[in-house]
Amino acid sequence: MSQRPDLTQRRAVLEHEWSRWVPRLGVPGTRPGGTAVLRHEVSESWARSLGSVDPGRDSAPVTDDGLVHQRWTSSPLYGPVSALAGELHSIAEDAGFVSAVTDESGTILWTCGGPAMRRRAERVNFAPGGRWDEQAMGTNALSLALRTGRPSSVFSAEHLVSALHGWVCYCAPVHGRDGSVLGVLDLSTTWDRSHPLAMSTVRTLVSTIEARLTAEVSRPTPLRLTCLGTERALHEGRPLPLRPRQLEILTLLALEPDGFSPERLRAALYGDRPVTSSTFKAEISHLRRALGGAISPRHYALTAPVSCDAADVLRALEQGDTDSALGHYGGPLLPRSEAPGVEEWRTRLEVAVREAVLASTRPDHALRYGERAPYDAEIHEHALRLLGPDDTRRAIAAGRLTTALRD
């Protein structure tokens, strides 16, 4: 028997099931006689999807074992979405939604929302690493938006996969300057919480993201400083050779954009050590020349924008975005430095990230931070409390805890 009659039969069964859900859920769209009308774009998506997706599957497939943090931090959407993370958190939590951002393939790279909605979403792998393109998960709003390049919503039993019939999703694609689709922004919730303003909210947020993308391209930050776990400065993509003391000065100026008086910066660098004024001023002069004069005189501050991973961590924490903070946190601040000001900032960053992890209800946060804190027994205990009894990752947390307690 050919495959086509089987697909036709399965589609007919699904349409019948959909027609039973529609009156019960109050979906708009019926014929005069009361028969439910399946939208054309949804019907066509079903026809395409049935060859690769089982409507009875319980969750989305996983990409790269869910380890997509590096893909997210290198995505062109990372910066603009991070800048809106606080607003997205507020919208999602206040309205009972979960928000997600995908890449151009339909793989979810980032999510936010209240704990209850996140738990529901994670049951169907609506979480980082989940694949939601049409071939992987059938008809859903993300796959339609990616395919058509237009905003899309899918309500309840319009989803091909029956495990999603309790959901409604609103999303819109994010376009780059060249018109290509970079990914999708989605707001999802249970069907009984659907709201007529959700789609307009998504459109507005996407417009803001696209505007930020344009601004980033037209005003790129020429100087990039990496100072967490490693030490590196790039100027217009090329390594900037700086001595350790100059890296310390640049790091402090990046973390405190209001700048330093000469006396305060000297104390932050040398403490009580007897260092001549000429030595201190020479370090400032060398760095100023390396940066093309981008340090103001008398009151020392940067006069050109700098992108700094430590500042990115602080910004993410201020927005309540622990996921992004951990993505930036590569380790201690300038780990070889003994400058008092750097040591103070190192402690502040470590404490802030650690407290955010301990306050988080997501076990992956504790596991990720635990990689960089092998002797922190409290972090490993926190991971074990959050991991389910059947979660295979418990072995990782238990092994780390054993090592930490032994040492």
Side-chain angles (χ1 to χ4, degrees):
M1 180 180 292
S2 66
Q3 187 183 28
R4 189 63 189 173
D6 179 59
L7 293 180
T8 302
Q9 183 179 18
R10 290 168 69 189
R11 179 177 173 186
V13 171
L14 284 167
E15 287 183 335
H16 173 70
E17 177 69 12
W18 184 81
S19 68
R20 292 195 305 111
W21 275 71
V22 169
R24 182 150 48 99
L25 299 180
V27 182
T30 58
R31 294 191 180 96
T35 305
V37 179
L38 185 61
R39 287 187 290 151
H40 177 73
E41 64 177 347
V42 172
S43 176
E44 290 301 307
S45 176
W46 279 12
R48 291 189 300 267
S49 304
L50 281 169
S52 61
V53 180
D54 178 4
R57 72 172 309 149
D58 58 3
S59 62
V62 179
T63 297
D64 298 334
D65 295 325
L67 303 177
V68 294
H69 304 296
Q70 186 172 357
R71 288 173 63 176
W72 173 227
T73 55
S74 62
S75 166
L77 299 179
Y78 177 78
V81 172
S82 296
L84 288 176
E87 184 175 353
L88 285 166
H89 274 280
S90 297
I91 291 171
E93 293 181 15
D94 293 347
F97 279 73
V98 60
S99 181
V101 176
T102 78
D103 63 11
E104 71 281 1
S105 73
T107 298
I108 294 179
L109 301 181
W110 179 86
T111 62
C112 73
M117 288 303 299
R118 287 180 69 102
R119 285 194 295 271
R120 293 190 66 156
E122 287 168 359
R123 290 180 200 140
V124 293
N125 201 25
F126 194 80
R131 281 187 53 203
W132 286 78
D133 56 288
E134 194 172 77
Q135 187 173 9
M137 205 55 182
T139 308
N140 62 82
L142 293 90
S143 67
L144 284 179
L146 283 171
R147 186 177 183 86
T148 65
R150 301 189 304 272
S152 178
S153 64
V154 172
F155 187 95
S156 185
E158 289 184 322
H159 291 95
L160 179 78
V161 174
S162 57
L164 307 177
H165 286 183
W167 288 85
V168 57
C169 305
Y170 308 89
C171 62
V174 182
H175 294 89
R177 291 188 72 196
D178 60 356
S180 63
V181 174
L182 302 177
V184 164
L185 174 68
D186 175 275
L187 284 176
S188 293
T189 188
T190 52
W191 66 265
D192 54 316
R193 294 192 181 195
S194 61
H195 197 284
L197 294 179
M199 181 56 80
S200 63
T201 300
V202 169
R203 288 174 181 265
T204 299
L205 289 167
V206 166
S207 295
T208 302
I209 292 171
E210 291 176 341
R212 288 181 178 272
L213 281 168
T214 301
E216 286 186 357
V217 171
S218 60
R219 295 193 305 275
T221 301
L223 183 61
R224 173 66 185 175
L225 173 63
T226 302
C227 50
L228 295 176
T230 187
E231 304 166 6
R232 183 174 67 253
L234 299 175
H235 186 259
E236 296 181 348
R238 294 186 296 273
L240 188 65
L242 297 176
R243 294 198 293 264
R245 186 66 71 195
Q246 293 160 12
L247 276 169
E248 290 171 345
I249 297 170
L250 180 57
T251 297
L252 290 170
L253 294 179
L255 287 170
E256 301 195 37
D258 290 337
F260 291 78
S261 67
E263 296 77 14
R264 180 166 170 260
L265 182 56
R266 182 174 174 175
L269 290 172
Y270 304 106
D272 295 331
R273 282 180 288 170
V275 175
T276 65
S277 177
S278 61
T279 298
F280 169 59
K281 290 181 178 179
E283 295 286 8
I284 299 293
S285 296
H286 288 313
L287 180 59
R288 182 182 287 116
R289 283 197 297 271
L291 299 180
I295 298 179
S296 60
R298 292 182 290 279
H299 184 83
Y300 299 129
L302 292 172
T303 59
V306 57
S307 174
C308 173
D309 55 353
D312 291 339
V313 168
L314 293 171
R315 191 178 304 111
L317 291 175
E318 289 172 357
Q319 296 169 345
D321 188 357
T322 303
D323 201 54
S324 294
L326 286 172
H328 288 298
Y329 189 71
L333 181 75
L334 297 182
R336 297 182 297 174
S337 173
E338 296 180 354
V342 172
E343 290 181 335
E344 180 182 340
W345 269 107
R346 184 188 299 147
T347 301
R348 288 170 64 178
L349 282 160
E350 288 178 347
V351 170
V353 173
R354 184 177 186 273
E355 289 302 310
V357 170
L358 290 174
S360 171
T361 58
R362 290 179 54 180
D364 59 302
H365 288 163
L367 288 169
R368 288 166 61 192
Y369 185 79
E371 292 178 10
R372 307 191 185 282
Y375 303 110
D376 195 329
E378 187 177 0
I379 289 292
H380 308 321
E381 290 172 346
H382 182 58
L384 285 170
R385 283 194 297 271
L386 296 177
L387 290 165
D390 299 325
D391 196 315
T392 57
R393 295 174 296 175
R394 288 184 64 85
I396 298 174
R400 291 172 178 170
L401 178 60
T402 300
T403 300
L405 293 176
R406 182 186 301 139
D407 296 336

